[in-house]
Amino acid sequence: MAFLDEHNFSGGPGVLPSSVLQQVQQAILQVPELGISLLGVSHRSDWFAQVVAEAESHVRYLLNLEDDFAVLFLQGGATQQFSMVPMTFLAGSTSPANYLDTGYWSHKSLPHAARIGPMRTVWSGYARSYRDLPLQHEVVYDPGAPYLHYVSNETVEGLQFHEIPGLDSVPRVCDMSSDFLSRPVDMKRYALVYAHAQKNLGPAGVTLALVRKSWLDQTKTDLPDFLDYRQHLQARSILNTPPVFAIYVVLLVLRWLRFEIGGLDKMQAINAAKASKIYNALERLGDDVKIHAQPSCRSQMNAVFHFRHPEWQQKFLDLSQKAGFIGMEGHRSLGGIRISMYNAMQLQAIDDLVEWVAEFCRQPG
Ligand SMILES: Cc1ncc(COP(=O)(O)O)c(C=O)c1O
């Protein structure tokens, strides 16, 4: 069976591998090894403990994670991490946490930190409508900061860091929600990485947090259990009833990434090929389109552009939808068109879209 999802270019929740969707379809009726529906499996069962353990092992393998990292399956989305990070690592500090303000989502994280303790925005692209990212020498970081927080891929503007910012002596915290597991990452240079599932990992409802235990051990904050990474670690991510369905789908996606794709080097090569096809096609359209991001920081996950003629926008969305290309309306804060090409988006779908966009621009409407 072909899934329409193969042409789902949505910013997230987005496309998932069709082999995974097929297994999920089956598991909703009956998990093969259990004989009951996935939706009715107890989170206290041995089977589910094994699901969590296996998912963790794939994350560890794919990212070559040191033992010092805890792998946690949390709830509350990336937004809850905007608060949990400062509540854990900023409360009581006299030196300011450093934040990079590089787009819609990193901007959203700022007040969450400011509410908890001292923080300093060390670079902001706000005044230039978030079209570029800082070069290392353009930012003066505080060597005594409790941490640096940044977003590796700005989903709304289509900006992606291709170098790791910050000082190696200051703990790095990164929101990788929209490019997690899309490329290899040198995790030695991070203290905490988080990513919600609904881009590259699975459905909404679960958020991964990879936290250095040695850093966590230093925190003295007294938090409600649910907001305390230590409690989730102790409970092996089953502090209360977790989203069993979402975590199972994440496991299937991780198996796909490890065994069908062959790991993060392979995934990166595929993602680079997809992105270059899209950006080359947009550039061939010349003045008809304006790509939002400067070339050096274009995202391999989200390509964002505006048409020179604003009246093309709605026509494009209507006609593309009719042609079976879904989810390309830009974020409400920026407008325009956003083509998201997460891990599960296939090269063939990109080829189909590129051909369709060229045809549209030859004869808009
Ligand atoms: C990079 C990034 N961070 C944070 C968020 C907010 O995530 P959530 O809705 O899971 O709280 C998003 C949402 O798309 C995002 O793209």
Side-chain angles (χ1 to χ4, degrees):
M1 175 186 168
F3 288 90
L4 183 61
D5 237 63
E6 284 168 6
H7 291 93
N8 179 0
F9 295 90
S10 166
V15 60
L16 290 175
S18 18
S19 61
V20 167
L21 293 180
Q22 261 151 1
Q23 293 172 73
V24 173
Q25 194 183 31
Q26 158 73 43
I28 284 181
L29 292 177
Q30 196 179 72
V31 177
E33 58 273 30
L34 293 180
I36 57 167
S37 164
L38 173 60
L39 303 181
V41 177
S42 165
H43 62 291
R44 297 286 170 206
S45 61
D46 291 345
W47 179 82
F48 184 64
Q50 190 49 42
V51 165
V52 174
E54 187 188 334
E56 171 174 343
S57 76
H58 294 315
V59 173
R60 288 192 181 280
Y61 173 87
L62 289 163
L63 286 169
N64 201 9
L65 270 192
E66 296 160 271
D67 290 345
D68 190 26
F69 274 101
V71 177
L72 304 176
F73 296 84
L74 305 177
Q75 296 174 58
T79 303
Q80 177 145 308
Q81 296 305 300
F82 291 168
S83 291
M84 269 173 84
V85 166
M87 285 161 88
T88 312
F89 299 106
L90 181 58
S93 168
T94 49
S95 36
N98 286 184
Y99 275 70
L100 293 175
D101 175 22
T102 53
Y104 180 89
W105 287 112
S106 55
H107 194 74
K108 279 246 171 188
S109 71
L110 306 179
H112 291 258
R115 192 176 297 139
I116 306 292
M119 56 87 67
R120 189 165 79 82
T121 303
V122 287
W123 189 91
S124 176
Y126 181 83
R128 290 183 307 289
S129 309
Y130 299 123
R131 288 176 192 280
D132 55 359
L133 294 173
L135 297 171
Q136 182 69 359
H137 70 267
E138 291 172 337
V139 188
V140 180
Y141 294 102
D142 294 316
Y147 62 84
L148 165 73
H149 179 276
Y150 79 103
V151 173
S152 54
N153 184 75
E154 289 284 2
T155 325
V156 171
E157 292 82 3
L159 292 164
Q160 188 177 30
F161 276 94
H162 299 297
E163 305 282 340
I164 298 177
L167 307 174
D168 281 341
S169 55
V170 171
R172 262 187 205 89
V173 176
C174 185
D175 174 357
M176 290 193 192
S177 291
S178 53
D179 65 357
F180 190 59
L181 301 183
S182 69
R183 56 182 178 177
V185 176
D186 184 359
M187 287 297 297
K188 289 194 182 58
R189 301 184 63 194
Y190 291 89
L192 194 160
V193 163
Y194 61 89
H196 61 201
Q198 62 264 33
K199 266 68 172 185
N200 276 334
L201 272 180
V206 58
T207 299
L208 250 79
L210 314 178
V211 193
R212 270 193 191 278
K213 289 185 263 186
S214 50
W215 194 37
L216 197 51
D217 283 345
Q218 293 166 29
T219 177
K220 300 202 169 41
T221 42
D222 182 22
L223 293 167
D225 285 1
F226 207 72
L227 300 174
D228 190 334
Y229 294 109
R230 292 164 298 191
Q231 296 294 335
H232 289 279
L233 174 60
Q234 209 178 355
R236 297 177 168 268
S237 299
I238 312 180
L239 188 61
N240 67 333
T241 315
V244 171
F245 171 81
I247 294 174
Y248 182 66
V249 181
V250 167
L251 169 62
L252 298 180
V253 173
L254 290 167
R255 282 183 189 157
W256 167 84
L257 185 49
R258 182 168 174 182
F259 302 118
E260 280 188 53
I261 295 296
L264 297 189
D265 286 324
K266 298 253 173 61
M267 195 69 256
Q268 180 180 38
I270 297 170
N271 286 332
K274 292 187 298 194
S276 82
K277 275 176 189 254
I278 290 286
Y279 288 114
N280 289 342
L282 292 177
E283 278 180 348
R284 279 198 298 274
L285 299 174
D287 290 343
D288 281 343
V289 303
K290 183 163 173 39
I291 301 173
H292 185 80
Q294 295 295 333
S296 61
C297 34
R298 285 178 186 164
S299 164
Q300 294 195 341
M301 297 281 104
N302 318 92
V304 177
F305 66 93
H306 287 81
F307 286 112
R308 180 164 54 118
H309 309 289
E311 65 277 14
W312 286 18
Q313 162 89 10
Q314 199 52 48
K315 273 187 197 161
F316 178 91
L317 290 173
D318 292 345
L319 292 175
S320 59
Q321 175 114 8
K322 276 199 193 119
F325 301 102
I326 314 292
M328 289 190 286
E329 185 165 10
H331 188 267
R332 60 190 182 283
S333 64
L334 189 62
I337 305 293
R338 171 171 58 176
I339 299 171
S340 297
M341 41 198 156
Y342 296 121
N343 281 356
M345 177 59 60
Q346 293 178 17
L347 262 174
Q348 181 58 52
I350 299 285
D351 285 338
D352 297 344
L353 179 66
V354 161
E355 201 178 304
W356 189 87
V357 172
E359 182 57 33
F360 171 84
C361 289
R362 268 194 296 276
Q363 278 187 321

